[in-house]
Amino acid sequence: MKGFWSGKRVTVTGGSGFLGQHIVKRLEGYGATVFVPRQKDYNLVALDSCMRCLLEHPCDVLVHAAAYYGGIGINQAEPAKLYYSNLVMGANLMEAARLANVGKVVNIGTACSYPGYLEGDLKEEDLWGGACHASVVNYGLTKKMLAVQGVAYKRQYGLDSIHLILTNLYGPGDSYNPDRSHVVAALVRKWVEADLAKAPSIEVWGTGKPIREFIYVEDCADAIVLAAEKYNDVNLPLNIGTGIGTSIRELVETINDVTGYAGKIAWNADKPDGAVKKVLDVTRMRRELDGWSPPTDLRAGLAKTISWYRANKAQADAKW
Ligand code: GDP
């Protein structure tokens, strides 16, 4: 690992964000020279700005970890912004990468790209087998286009790239804003606040039946850096996850347990459930990453996240 990255120039879009900062930390630890484009300097939705970024900071590897994204709430509230910003940013970065002769592009995709109505665990081969779930189509489809672009750009321009498909992330530094957050951050905030206020009950969205898979953000960064080194097949994306499904009800019970909250839980079935199940098959991940699997189990990751959130509440709440 160290040998591979030593002396490499890597640009990480989204490198100051929730996931990206952990990717940067690891790459620097392995001896890479990392550049993180900041929004005030480079508007990555514009092609000329992507070009300027890659020409001013030539790189061997481009990790595209920037995204405008969030949970089921923002997918309902801002479908057009999710669509436009992610689609155009991804397309322009790939175009700039081939014009600037970047050695390899690592695109960070999402489990929202999978067909939303499949029953079993999601295998890479299933990616093209059906429509995205309506609740996340505007985000899921735009990221999926990067996989199409990767194959086309390899064939016509010889650009090397890979497409990594991530499951739901959680951890310190996530978005804890209820209008944007995913379920773990949303519930951590609700539980800590209810505990502080001694509130008699907490409202949780949906029925509690949907199954999700959760990966601790630092584990995910480990996998991405490993895959950036070892995985090279542009024709097949690679899933990054735990492979473990947890119902929202089980998640709620675990958070309840870790926080020690003693009030009632009110399920609001008027709020959307989203996909019935979203769990990745990680068989290929284990094989391609030399047997790696995420070391942090859900309970341990939640305990770390909750204690971080308690200690950094004002800062966490101020973030969009
Ligand atoms: P998804 O994985 O793309 O569907 O997005 P989310 O992480 O936002 O939601 C996952 C599941 O958690 C859905 O079934 C939601 O209904 C459920 N959920 C329960 N309470 C909440 C909440 O307070 N916020 C969010 N975002 N989801 C919640």
Side-chain angles (χ1 to χ4, degrees), residues 29-82:
Y30 296 136
T33 303
V34 181
F35 175 70
V36 174
R38 306 304 297 243
Q39 219 165 3
K40 65 177 173 45
D41 303 317
Y42 302 99
N43 167 21
L44 298 179
V45 178
L47 179 59
D48 60 344
S49 196
C50 292
M51 244 359 266
R52 199 164 49 76
C53 172
L54 295 180
L55 292 177
E56 288 174 359
H57 301 275
C59 61
D60 304 301
V61 180
L62 169 65
V63 180
H64 177 30
Y68 187 64
Y69 76 108
I72 208 163
I74 197 175
N75 274 278
Q76 287 193 319
E78 299 188 20
K81 186 167 176 189
L82 288 171

Side-chain angles (χ1 to χ4, degrees), residues 5-311:
W5 290 109
S6 183
K8 286 227 165 40
R9 299 160 307 169
V10 187
T11 291
V12 182
T13 70
S16 53
F18 171 45
L19 170 65
Q21 61 181 303
H22 295 289
I23 299 174
V24 170
K25 201 159 110 192
R26 277 152 184 77
L27 290 169
E28 287 179 340
Y30 296 136
T33 303
V34 181
F35 175 70
V36 174
R38 306 304 297 243
Q39 219 165 3
K40 65 177 173 45
D41 303 317
Y42 302 99
N43 167 21
L44 298 179
V45 178
L47 179 59
D48 60 344
S49 196
C50 292
M51 244 359 266
R52 199 164 49 76
C53 172
L54 295 180
L55 292 177
E56 288 174 359
H57 301 275
C59 61
D60 304 301
V61 180
L62 169 65
V63 180
H64 177 30
Y68 187 64
Y69 76 108
I72 208 163
I74 197 175
N75 274 278
Q76 287 193 319
E78 299 188 20
K81 186 167 176 189
L82 288 171
Y83 176 85
Y84 181 76
S85 52
N86 291 303
L87 186 77
V88 178
M89 177 164 53
N92 281 338
L93 264 172
M94 286 286 277
E95 174 69 3
R98 70 102 182 166
L99 290 168
N101 292 315
V102 169
K104 179 175 181 179
V105 181
V106 177
N107 279 314
I108 306 300
T110 168
C112 299
S113 296
Y114 272 108
Y117 307 91
L118 290 180
E119 304 240 310
D121 291 355
L122 302 163
K123 291 189 174 59
E124 288 88 347
E125 294 80 0
D126 297 336
L127 188 64
W128 307 103
C132 294
H133 195 273
S135 62
V136 289
V137 61
N138 295 289
Y139 181 59
L141 213 48
T142 61
K143 284 287 183 180
K144 196 162 164 170
M145 284 305 101
L146 282 168
V148 177
Q149 196 171 1
V151 174
Y153 274 48
K154 176 69 183 173
R155 186 181 304 162
Q156 189 172 344
Y157 303 128
L159 178 68
D160 285 320
S161 71
I162 56 170
H163 191 83
L164 305 178
I165 298 192
L166 271 45
T167 193
N168 289 28
L169 290 174
Y170 72 98
D174 202 350
S175 166
Y176 288 83
N177 184 309
D179 293 329
R180 183 177 177 203
S181 53
H182 277 279
V183 61
V184 173
L187 298 187
V188 165
R189 180 169 179 169
K190 284 182 188 179
W191 253 255
V192 169
E193 288 184 345
D195 202 29
L196 285 171
K198 303 283 169 259
S201 74
I202 299 177
E203 186 198 272
V204 184
W205 296 357
T207 60
K209 289 183 192 150
I211 311 281
R212 293 289 181 276
E213 175 192 13
F214 304 104
I215 188 167
Y216 189 64
V217 62
E218 295 201 34
D219 293 353
C220 189
D222 282 337
I224 289 167
V225 173
L226 205 53
E229 175 187 343
K230 297 192 178 289
Y231 193 64
N232 290 303
D233 187 354
V234 70
N235 291 304
L236 203 52
L238 187 68
N239 286 342
I240 305 289
T242 63
I244 300 167
T246 303
S247 71
I248 300 302
R249 193 171 288 277
E250 286 173 276
L251 174 70
V252 160
E253 280 161 11
T254 312
I255 294 175
N256 213 35
D257 229 34
V258 174
T259 56
Y261 173 72
K264 274 210 204 114
I265 296 156
W267 294 91
N268 182 354
D270 292 338
K271 290 283 189 181
D273 261 347
V276 172
K277 183 176 172 193
K278 206 158 47 175
V279 178
L280 300 177
D281 182 314
V282 293
T283 312
R284 287 186 63 250
M285 176 195 83
R286 293 213 180 97
R287 196 172 64 228
E288 298 290 341
L289 304 187
D290 300 339
W292 183 89
S293 67
T296 311
D297 73 25
L298 182 59
R299 197 181 175 90
L302 287 173
K304 282 203 236 185
T305 304
I306 289 164
S307 74
W308 176 87
Y309 180 75
R310 283 195 209 274

